[in-house]
Amino acid sequence: MTGALLFATVPPQNIMHTAWFASLSMFVAINTVLYLTLAIIKLLPKAYLSDWIDQRNRRSESRSIYPDAEAGPPQ
Amino acid sequence: MNVVSRSATRLAASDPGTPGSDHTDLCTASIPARDAAVGREASAGSYAGRHYVRATRYRHASGWLGRYIGLVIAGIAVGGALVLWFAVSASSPSVNPSPKSRALFGGWHVIYDNQAPALTIVIVAVGLGLIFAATAALVERVVMDRSRRSTDVAVKLLAPKLVMAETRGVFGGPVTVTVLIPAHNEAASIGATLDSLGAQHPAPNRVIVVADNCTDATEPVARAHGAEVFSTVGNTHKKAGALNQALSGLLDGLGDNDIVMCMDADTVLDDGFLAAGVQRFTTDRALMAIGGLFYGEEGGGILGQLQRNEYVRYSREIRRRRGRVFVLTGTASMFRARALRTIAASRGRLLPGVHGDVYDTAALTEDNELTLAIKSLGGLMASPNACRVVTELMPTWRNLWAQRLRWQRGALENLGAYGPAPTMLRYWAQQLGIGYSVIALSSFWLLVIVTALTTDQWVWFPFWLGVGSLFVLDRVVSAWSGGWKARLLAVLMVPELLYDLYLDVVYVKGIFDITFARNARWGHVAHAAQPTHETNGAQQRETAEVIS
């Protein structure tokens, strides 16, 4: 809506110098970098803290349907 | 700019449950099986009407958000965007184009502009991204750990500790698998589905085709492939109602290690699906459900490839999460009988829906709803990488519109029914993420259009070229396992951005519909009648049409 209003009232070559356009550029820039950060995070393998420091990461009893089975790590 | 992994997130947040057909159509019939069993006399119309009213009443009573869930999600997303906009405006930003020209490769004159956001802006944006990602992961972890360690016998009825305590030292027999396949006029595809089941090792103990108001050869084709057939009686609640009827007579006879698998009639299991599922249910008696990972069938042109890329990214995300489930897909999921019995007993009390129903017949996306139900009760779920299924894709944009509108609206309605409970926070975050990404992507396209209309020369921005390259890298890597076609489409980027824009429009339409209580409709891809018992995918696609 604001964009349409601007086009109707401001010469096209001057739109890039308006405060509205500057705000839009900044808004898009922040969102872009924010989503890029999320993309890079998702691109990398997920790190699980428990893989390194949680020594309880082993079941204390078997979860098998067979009562005599040995306990193992979570699957 | 790209709104990253939006498709995978959107898929996870909505309902990838039934990528293929959804069976539908109201019918008139006599007495529902469950009522007939208890000798109740009821006419079809009055039963259907009462049942629907009851289901809807329970659902709305349990979800105070009701039809306002869409507005709440949209309001928060818009509010967040406005806060950022005003913060940006208050900093008095300015754009000072300073294009330069340089000759490259001899005669090619390139106009470029070294403009880039201030370092503080970049740091703030990166910081926000890190905070969002860390908060989402932390909240999910805390909620999951609380469920795992819960001993709340009043609410967390499927929590591992409670299940373990009840089954400790008791051997309930080896794991068995009973497969239920709801089918509404699926004569064309049911044969291939049953063949894929027959090829599994171990084979399922029972295969029951739940024939729902079929007018084609579904039943004889199913019998010819060795399946049992259960015909619904007076079902007016589509897939959920059909499954409820079949399950009502089945669950009582099943033990703790008996597994019920619900799968679509147009879904083909990969080799090893059942073996992996049985192995997981054998080694973990607290595991309540396994959801299949689906990938799209071949063909369908660029629309098919766009959907396949979406599914590939969803599967990648689940693998990255080590099989932690977003949604137990309706295409093929396995449930411990205890989970389904507990859900049926909890409806109308702890869960939305009618007491005694496994599936909530008022839910547009019954498999998404069942996932939330198990999650609410503290049950463990998984999506092992070996449990993969190939499913049908939407052949036209119109089909896709109908499918995604139903998924999106169903996901929102389910969220409204369950409210802002801690176990639902992840799903709230996903919906808010989609809502905000609609604003972000729209503002990006607005900037592109305004810039294109106000400049008369092509200007390169090295900073944003670099950013765009990283997005392309993300797109390609995340779709890599889909093969060269998937990578080619990903590297082009623009088609996927436009596809996202299309899904954004569906999202907004979904919010509009739910807010103004527009009637929901089911999309149905009709398959051509099949002269033989073999599936002909190409023929199906050619004759597919929306009949909703």
Side-chain angles (χ1 to χ4, degrees), chain B residues 317-349:
Chain B
E317 180 61 13
I318 296 294
R319 283 199 302 274
R320 191 174 163 273
R321 290 163 53 83
R322 296 185 178 173
R324 287 213 303 280
V325 169
F326 283 122
V327 176
L328 294 167
T329 169
T331 51
S333 286
M334 305 171 84
F335 304 92
R336 206 174 277 278
R338 165 192 288 264
L340 299 183
R341 273 197 299 266
T342 306
I343 287 168
S346 303
R347 291 219 181 269
R349 189 171 61 88

Side-chain angles (χ1 to χ4, degrees), chain A residues 31-32 39 51 61 63 65, chain B residues 1 168 285 322 380 436:
Chain A
N31 281 325
T32 304
D51 286 354
E61 65 170 313
R63 279 169 58 157
I65 62 169
Chain B
M1 182 189 71
R168 187 168 291 128
R285 64 185 194 273
R322 296 185 178 173
L380 273 185
Y436 188 82

